[in-house]
């Protein structure tokens, strides 16, 4: 450091020069990282394992020029309309009063818009209603009877969403849920329905232009308290899309995902340069850090399940869970199930 005294005038002049020099720093030097593409993206769709038909449909539609959001919605609708799938839509497992309440959300990367519905009753395809919220309103989420009223205004009809099998599952759960209640135990040679089932489908896709969309739809936690809403319709939790970076979503215990804004966080990890698989694993680590002791096993691991799935703008993809499993992928090689990365070996 120089020992020459610095006058007030020379100090101000030096400070001004420093400020002027700072304004010459390129904006890209301080902007957040993003996914650079030197070639067209590789079209890909990823989803939870129950979305194997959905990712195949999404890739097919994007290949014919269909918008990414429309392709994703058409993909998840396959499960929403399937009475044999009790995780979403028609035939989804009901709340503790025997009523099916559905949640869904979607994001469209190119237009930076989102839509969601929660506690929607009587409409088989909540993903379509979430898309209507996105497309025709300045809102993001509609709930309950007003979400149903909104759907009716577009020509949808209220239907009974319980199938014989989902109704029977609820009746068995109600009969067997407590040893001291007034219901007789009914086994029918089957395991009692005491287990709380989480059922969801998340689908994220990117086309050859690098445009990205995501959709998550669910019937929620089986036998839930009426009005319970998990992460699926929450923008930034159940799914999130940034058209400059990628998309991510989840299935599993929604409350734990909400606490870390998992969809958004996974995309932010990708913004920092992480591969989609590593971003999913990093989000799971955050979930463990934020899990209260009552939800941890003696070995420190969560006593619940939670999976994340992600794609980036280049068409790279990945998925992760606590202990492994499978997820659905479709690209130019076709639709298939691949292994989830496991946080715990």
């Amino acid at each position: 450091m120089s020992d020459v005294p610095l006058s007030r005038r020379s100090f101000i002049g030096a400070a001004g020069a420093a400020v002027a020099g700072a304004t010459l720093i390129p904006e890209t030097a301080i902007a957040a990282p993003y996914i650079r593409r030197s070639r067209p993206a590789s079209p890909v769709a990823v989803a939870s394992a129950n979305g194997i038909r959905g990712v195949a449909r999404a890739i097919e539609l994007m290949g014919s020029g269909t918008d990414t959001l429309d392709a994703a919605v058409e993909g998840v609708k396959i499960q929403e309309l399937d009475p044999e799938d009790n995780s979403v839509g028609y035939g989804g497992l009901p709340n503790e009063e025997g009523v099916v309440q559905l949640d869904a959300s979607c994001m469209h990367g190119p237009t930076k818009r989102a839509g969601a519905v929660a506690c929607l009753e009587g409409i088989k395809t909540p993903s379509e209603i979430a898309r209507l919220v996105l497309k025709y309103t300045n809102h993001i989420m509609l709930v309950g009877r007003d979400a149903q009223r909104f759907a009716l205004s577009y020509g949808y009809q209220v239907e009974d969403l319980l199938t014989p099998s989902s109704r029977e599952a609820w009746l068995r759960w109600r009969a067997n849920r407590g040893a001291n209640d007034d219901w007789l135990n009914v086994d029918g040679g089957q395991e009692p329905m005491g287990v709380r089932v989480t059922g969801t489908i998340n689908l994220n896709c990117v086309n050859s232009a690098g445009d990205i969309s995501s959709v998550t739809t669910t019937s929620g936690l089986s036998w839930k308290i009426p009005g319970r809403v998990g992460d699926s319709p929450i923008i930034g939790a159940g799914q999130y899309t940034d058209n400059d970076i990628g998309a991510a979503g989840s299935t599993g215990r929604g409350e734990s995902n909400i606490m870390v804004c998992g969809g958004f966080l996974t995309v932010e990890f990708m913004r920092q340069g992480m591969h989609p698989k590593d971003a999913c694993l990093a989000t799971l680590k955050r979930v463990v850090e934020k899990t209260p002791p009552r939800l941890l096993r003696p070995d420190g691991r969560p006593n619940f399940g939670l999976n994340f799935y992600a794609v980036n703008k280049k068409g790279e993809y990945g998925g992760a869970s606590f202990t492994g499993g499978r997820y659905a992928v479709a690209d130019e090689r076709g639709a298939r199930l691949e292994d989830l990365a496991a946080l715990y070996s």
Side-chain angles (χ1 to χ4, degrees):
M1 179 178 293
S2 173
D3 294 327
V4 178
L6 187 64
S7 69
R8 179 176 181 274
R9 176 174 295 179
S10 59
F11 173 79
I12 293 175
V19 172
T23 62
L24 298 178
I25 297 175
E27 183 179 352
T28 54
I30 57 176
Y34 61 95
I35 304 297
R36 296 180 183 273
R37 293 194 302 125
S38 58
R39 57 178 175 77
S42 299
V44 65
V46 301
S48 43
N50 58 342
I52 184 67
R53 293 182 293 171
V55 292
R57 180 61 174 154
I59 282 290
E60 176 188 10
L61 289 172
M62 288 191 298
S64 64
T66 300
D67 179 83
T68 52
L69 178 57
D70 295 333
V73 169
E74 289 303 312
V76 300
K77 276 174 55 182
I78 295 173
Q79 300 308 120
E80 288 179 330
L81 294 171
D82 185 352
E84 300 301 318
D85 187 333
N86 63 15
S87 66
V88 296
Y90 180 46
L93 294 179
N95 63 25
E96 66 179 15
E97 293 184 356
V99 178
V100 179
Q101 293 183 316
L102 304 177
D103 308 322
S105 65
C106 60
M107 291 190 73
H108 186 233
T111 59
K112 304 177 182 178
R113 299 178 70 177
V117 290
C119 292
L120 177 64
E121 299 178 10
I123 307 295
K124 291 179 177 178
T125 54
S127 64
E128 289 188 309
I129 312 307
R131 182 176 56 183
L132 289 173
V133 174
L134 176 154
K135 186 175 181 179
Y136 290 109
T137 81
N138 199 34
H139 305 316
I140 288 182
M141 179 181 286
L142 299 178
V143 302
R145 292 187 177 182
D146 292 308
Q148 184 190 79
R149 185 180 296 111
F150 177 79
L152 297 181
S153 74
Y154 285 91
Y156 287 80
Q157 301 295 317
V158 174
E159 302 176 75
D160 182 2
L161 300 187
L162 280 175
T163 60
S165 61
S166 62
R167 180 179 287 107
E168 176 62 23
W170 171 69
L171 291 173
R172 285 173 50 220
W173 167 79
R174 186 178 67 172
N176 293 295
R177 61 180 174 175
N180 298 316
D181 60 23
D182 293 324
W183 299 92
L184 295 176
N185 287 345
V186 179
D187 56 50
Q190 297 174 308
E191 291 294 323
M193 294 294 292
V195 177
R196 308 293 297 279
V197 180
T198 56
T200 304
I201 177 172
N202 162 251
L203 194 155
N204 313 288
C205 58
V206 57
N207 65 13
S208 59
D211 286 331
I212 311 164
S213 289
S214 56
V215 176
T216 299
T217 180
T218 188
S219 57
L221 182 67
S222 64
W223 340 127
K224 60 193 174 186
I225 295 174
R228 177 265 186 184
V229 174
D231 63 322
S232 296
I234 307 298
I235 303 300
Q239 54 76 37
Y240 189 78
T241 293
D242 184 326
N243 211 54
D244 292 330
I245 308 299
S250 70
T251 59
R253 188 175 190 272
E255 286 80 359
S256 295
N257 186 31
I258 291 172
M259 292 300 292
V260 300
C261 301
F264 175 80
L265 183 61
T266 304
V267 172
E268 288 304 294
F269 283 138
M270 289 192 289
R271 187 190 304 277
Q272 296 171 15
M274 287 189 182
H275 185 278
K277 180 191 72 174
D278 297 323
C280 292
L281 287 169
T283 299
L284 286 171
K285 291 178 182 177
R286 184 70 61 84
V287 171
V288 176
E289 292 171 2
K290 299 301 180 182
T291 297
R294 65 182 177 83
L295 295 175
L296 295 175
R297 302 181 340 194
D299 61 5
R301 299 182 182 184
N303 64 10
F304 54 86
L306 189 59
N307 300 349
F308 287 95
Y309 322 92
V311 298
N312 68 19
K313 196 171 180 69
K314 293 189 294 187
E316 297 171 330
Y317 62 88
S321 69
F322 291 128
T323 57
R326 307 276 272 173
Y327 72 116
V329 179
D331 54 20
E332 59 187 8
R333 294 184 288 156
R336 59 197 179 277
L337 293 177
E338 293 194 8
D339 291 333
L340 290 164
L343 182 62
Y344 302 111
S345 59

